[in-house]
Amino acid sequence: MAMAKIIPTFLLRLIALGATISATAVMVTSHDSTTVLNLKFVAKYTNSPTFKYFALTNAIASGYGLTAIFLPSKTSLWRLLLVLDLVILCLLDSSISAALAIGYVGKKGNTQAGWLPICGQVPKFCDHANAALICGFVATIVYFLLVLYSLHSAFNLLTAGKA
């Protein structure tokens, strides 16, 4: 019975680790350049503090995910893991939200502010950023599922202890 509770958590953590590592790697390697009127413009993730925050948050989540996978399941650290999962979920959620907002402005522009869309000029950069955002969104959903599963397990332990 105990193994039946460990396997879903391990698989969710493994999927989250893969998604955060992928999001970090794809965002860090996103770059493209274009020439307009003999001026060369380079687009890379370091040009935007939001994309840097997104990459850093996913790197932190990757490190945490790698550490959490190797923690023994029979320890009393499960409460700490629940809290840390929630913190990582909040970090991932804030970074994906901010990066999605900047990505939308990059794709569509903002006519009220006079910002032109850039994805037509640097499509390789935008494609990489979109792929990183998709991986980040998957990681956010998986961490949400991890928090729900951990809360469900904790609730079951509390109700079993009262019976």
Side-chain angles (χ1 to χ4, degrees), residues 8-105:
T9 304
F10 179 75
L11 289 176
L12 285 173
R13 290 196 185 283
L14 204 57
I15 293 168
L17 178 64
T20 55
I21 288 173
S22 299
T24 304
V26 172
M27 184 58 81
V28 168
T29 59
S30 64
H31 57 81
D32 199 2
S33 62
T34 187
T35 304
V36 177
L37 299 173
N38 288 332
L39 295 172
K40 186 174 183 177
F41 293 100
V42 177
K44 50 188 173 181
Y45 88 101
T46 56
N47 293 345
S48 170
T50 304
F51 286 155
K52 285 194 272 188
Y53 174 62
F54 176 78
L56 179 66
T57 301
N58 277 286
I60 290 169
S62 298
Y64 166 73
L66 189 63
T67 305
I69 282 178
F70 291 112
L71 283 177
S73 60
K74 305 237 186 228
T75 65
S76 62
L77 291 175
W78 66 269
R79 290 183 186 125
L80 179 63
L81 280 179
L82 174 61
V83 172
L84 289 176
D85 283 345
L86 189 59
V87 168
I88 293 297
L89 173 64
C90 291
L91 282 173
L92 287 173
D93 188 37
S94 68
S95 72
I96 192 73
S97 299
L100 279 171
I102 293 300
Y104 182 81
V105 170

